[in-house]
Amino acid sequence: AVPVLNYMEAATHPHNVARGSFAPTPGKAGALEPAPAPKLSRTPGSAPRPNPTPGGDTSKVLSDYGFAGAELKSLLERGAVVEVSKSKL
């Protein structure tokens, strides 16, 4: 018989550790999440990354859509859009 492992047992099982099957969850100390699978040599995937900060890319996104200079500044000043500092994870 083979035991059924719970999530943390599976994440810390020697086979899964050796395969890199789980990776640390950004922003949650001690938490693990599944790493990209399958592991392919030419397209290996990427490690988990922090969630985006809402409003953290406002200026960049709006400039990508053609808003510039004074128009963008006006939107920010009037509170029509917000820009917040990105999390430092």
Side-chain angles (χ1 to χ4, degrees):
V2 177
V4 175
L5 305 177
N6 69 32
Y7 187 78
M8 284 308 294
E9 290 170 335
T12 58
H13 187 278
H15 174 81
N16 292 330
V17 171
R19 292 267 310 133
S21 298
F22 291 83
T25 301
K28 294 184 180 177
L32 298 170
E33 61 185 71
K39 303 220 182 269
L40 306 172
S41 60
R42 289 185 288 163
T43 54
S46 59
R49 61 178 190 234
N51 292 329
T53 301
D57 297 309
T58 301
S59 294
K60 181 182 180 337
V61 170
L62 290 175
S63 67
D64 288 349
Y65 280 95
F67 291 87
E71 187 178 25
L72 181 55
K73 183 178 179 186
S74 174
L75 289 170
L76 289 165
E77 287 173 351
R78 291 181 296 152
V81 297
V82 296
E83 181 96 55
V84 297
S85 298
K86 290 190 177 186
S87 174
K88 301 212 186 324
L89 295 177

